Amino acid sequence: MSRLPNVKVRDGEAFERAYRRFTKSCEKSGLMAEVRKHERYEKPSEAKKRKSAIARRKVRKVMLQSR
């Protein structure tokens, strides 16, 4: 696993702002996606369907952009 996201709170910085930076760094690192992925067991057939759907969306997006 890659490095875990961390945020140093600056002098006089509000907690809400530091928390927002931390959540943004979690999103960028893909940590939340990884947690969601492991919330429940995914059968191999379900994983194959999900990956196929993602690939179809990518192809469709490229086709729409090339028009």
Side-chain angles (χ1 to χ4, degrees):
M1 186 174 195
S2 64
R3 270 185 66 158
L4 294 175
N6 63 8
V7 172
K8 291 185 179 172
V9 180
R10 300 174 187 136
D11 288 337
E13 183 179 24
F15 171 77
E16 289 80 18
R17 188 173 177 112
Y19 180 69
R20 197 174 316 131
R21 284 191 303 125
F22 176 73
T23 54
K24 194 168 199 155
S25 68
C26 285
E27 289 285 328
K28 275 187 175 181
S29 71
L31 180 69
M32 296 311 293
E34 191 71 21
V35 167
R36 269 186 247 109
K37 189 168 102 177
H38 291 288
E39 278 182 344
R40 65 177 187 85
Y41 177 73
E42 184 177 32
K43 293 186 343 186
S45 61
E46 290 174 346
K48 190 175 178 182
K49 276 186 198 175
R50 182 179 48 79
K51 288 178 182 179
S52 176
I54 291 170
R56 278 196 305 272
R57 272 186 255 141
K58 264 186 181 178
V59 168
R60 194 148 116 229
K61 186 177 178 182
V62 169
M63 295 297 286
L64 288 174
Q65 287 178 350
S66 67
R67 283 190 189 184

